[in-house]
Amino acid sequence: ERVERATDLAWPRIVTGLARMSRSTADVAMVGIALGPPAIAGVGYARPFWGLAFALGGGIAGGTISLVSQRYGAEAYGELAVAVKASALLVTLVTVPLVALYLLVPGPLVDIIGSGREAVAYGTEYLAVVALGVPFAALNLVGSRTLVGADDAWTPMVLRGGGAALNIGLNAVLIFVLEMGVVGAAVGTAVSNVVVTVAFAVGLARGGLPLI
């Protein structure tokens, strides 16, 4: 029975991880098809800075799941709510300075690890736009871990998997139809994270989402 319960919580997390990887792959593949190897390299140079949001958000979310699971098991729902709000506030305070840094000096940051003028230029464009999605990506982790701590891994899978699908769809339109290049890929990533964050916020505030 315990193996079954562990599996019930684990497999949606695996699917969510695959969906997140598909999002990154789509960014790289689509800009590569549209603009060639320099764009692939540029996005690759910028992605570690985007990944920093997941490192910070994931660390805070790890604490969130512990706090939530303890209070959920004890049916201390008032304390649970405070824990979630505190985690959301903390992750916002930690990531907003990153946004400012990425917006102010994206070029020097990308140039630290990048090479080639064209590739660095692409990476700079990508980072300057995707920076706006950094706090939302981190908040998604907090929302996801909150629900997992409350014995619900299904909803985060649906929301974040849906966000990955939305990201890929937006990329296709922005990159190939509107010809926005790496900026289109960055906009798709940022917008999809905002949409998922809004869905988490509404679901947590209302106690659920229709059909999920």
Side-chain angles (χ1 to χ4, degrees):
E1 181 181 353
R2 293 188 179 187
V3 170
E4 289 177 359
R5 289 296 304 126
T7 303
D8 287 342
L9 288 172
W11 75 263
R13 301 297 309 142
I14 296 171
V15 173
T16 302
L18 292 173
R20 195 180 75 185
M21 292 295 294
S22 72
R23 182 197 307 251
S24 300
T25 303
D27 274 4
V28 173
M30 289 183 179
V31 297
I33 293 171
L35 300 172
I40 294 176
V43 172
Y45 295 151
R47 291 300 294 190
F49 298 103
W50 169 257
L52 189 56
F54 287 91
L56 295 172
I60 295 170
T64 303
I65 193 172
S66 300
L67 293 171
V68 169
S69 61
Q70 291 169 0
R71 283 148 183 79
Y72 182 77
E75 298 185 358
Y77 301 123
E79 294 182 16
L80 190 158
V82 172
V84 175
K85 292 173 184 176
S87 297
L89 177 60
L90 178 59
V91 83
T92 302
L93 292 175
V94 169
T95 54
V96 164
L98 280 182
V99 177
L101 182 65
Y102 295 168
L103 290 175
L104 291 173
V105 289
L109 289 174
V110 173
D111 198 42
I112 291 173
I113 59 175
S115 61
R117 180 179 301 176
E118 190 176 5
V120 169
Y122 280 132
T124 300
E125 290 181 16
Y126 184 88
L127 181 59
V129 177
V130 83
L132 299 174
V134 165
F136 299 99
L139 284 167
N140 289 343
L141 292 172
V142 171
S144 175
R145 299 304 190 275
T146 294
L147 293 176
V148 172
D151 202 27
D152 178 12
W154 170 265
T155 301
M157 177 191 70
V158 174
L159 293 182
R160 298 186 69 195
L166 174 63
N167 189 176
I168 294 171
L170 288 173
N171 279 3
V173 174
L174 296 172
I175 294 173
F176 298 118
V177 179
L178 300 181
E179 298 183 350
M180 293 175 64
V182 294
V183 172
V187 170
T189 298
V191 169
S192 62
N193 275 279
V194 171
V195 171
V196 174
T197 300
V198 170
F200 271 122
V202 172
L204 288 170
R206 293 180 67 253
L209 290 169
L211 305 179
I212 301 184

